[in-house]
Amino acid sequence: LRGRMGMKSAGRSWQRKTVRENRGIDVMETKRVYIKDTENVRDEELKEAALVIRRGGLVAFPTETVYGLGGNALDEDAAGKIYAAKGRPSDNPLIAHVSCAAEVEPLVKYMPESGRKLMEKFWPGPLTLIFPKSSRVPYGTTGGLDTVAVRMPSDPIANRLIALAGVPIAAPSANTSGRPSPTTADHVWQDMNGRIDMVIDGGAVGIGVESTIVDVSGETPAVLRPGAVTMEMLREVLGEVTIDPAILGPVAEGVHPKAPGMKYKHYAPKAELTLVEPEMGDKKAGMTKAQIDRMVDMVKMLAKEQIQAGQRVGIICTDESRDAYHEGIIRSIGARQSQESVAHNLYAVLREFDDLGAEVIFSESFGEDHLGQAIMNRLSKAAGYRIVRV
Ligand code: TXA
Ligand code: MG
């Protein structure tokens, strides 16, 4: 409701009415456009947004993973505006989003066989591929790299917007740098109102964590960020796939992860988040009931200690364990039985704890099979790898 009111009082046009802030960022009116029926998007609803992109402006839009902050990927100035709006270091490259396979060719130097296979199998969908870039893609978009990240989203709003814009759309997640990625238009509004031309409100996204990134520019395909196209699914198509060490643990001093974005402390809630994890021989195997019980007991104990010390304590539990907790701000992140539900709610829960002013958060953890790898990657990073093992 709050968002809807905000829209009414916001701009009538995307034309920039700028006032200089002392930080050097333009303050502008941000228009919010509501898509009535997200399954049957009409071109009229997206025409103005496409025009904004073509003219070098910025539009946030839903994709199946998270909301993106879009600008013309072939326009270095637009890339510069994206970095400014997010407060993001400009050495962190952007993903170019396309609406069909034919739009990839002009962006890449050549098409590796593994890339072609993955496109056929998983596009459109939550998979980003890293290719050697063509000269058409400006270094302003790739953070100075000779490779380019490309993704074809399946979300009908995203897909149609790109097609109507007639240019590939560079889009990082539409959050302020360092905040959890946005999974609703309200999240985007919190971070981007007054900083970009337009937000397209297509409701909550489906998946909730960012796309899987696979680098196909080298000899062996390498996963740089886990997502909804899982390791298990990739192995089925490719056989051999390596995994960038930055996914598995904290990035050591002097080591450069291949996805520059993975070196930043990302997805961070304002509170200090600690994960509690049972000792498991095989993280890919499911947790036993005894392991889950031990974990829940430890979360309760740590929370109690902090509550007694006068802290505002958040607890991240699951639908299954919800009733075991009696004190603190308790939020279920989804059903342990359904990894999809956990991924879907993950960032919204972290943002809610920010809004509630939690100072410390303790969270249950998850197995790392299938989508669990992406879930644990995001939670571990949000926790700055503060993990208590029981
Ligand atoms: O699901 C997604 O991928 C969302 C939606 C909007 O499509 N986008 C997204 O973008 O998550 P962003 O900018 O938040 O994350 C992109 C990641 C960063 O970690 C960046 O370093 C990496 O992709 N990346 C981009 N281009 C790259 C390149 N040429 N080589 C290696 N990593 C690259
Ligand atoms: Mg991001």
Side-chain angles (χ1 to χ4, degrees), residues 86 88 172-175 181 210 225 266-267:
K86 279 183 66 86
R88 170 171 176 162
S173 49
N175 52 287
S181 291
E210 305 85 344
R225 181 174 73 182
H266 245 181
Y267 325 117

Side-chain angles (χ1 to χ4, degrees), residues 61 63 65-69 86 88 92-95 97 128 130-131 142 145 147-149 151 171-175 181 209-211 213 224-225 258-262 266:
F61 60 96
T63 81
T65 57
V66 299
Y67 270 76
L69 173 53
K86 279 183 66 86
R88 170 171 176 162
N92 192 0
L94 306 173
I95 299 171
H97 294 69
T128 297
I130 311 285
F131 296 109
T142 68
L145 297 175
T147 51
V148 60
R151 173 162 112 78
S173 49
N175 52 287
S181 291
V209 294
E210 305 85 344
S211 61
I213 303 180
L224 308 189
R225 181 174 73 182
K258 287 194 79 185
M262 299 293 280
H266 245 181

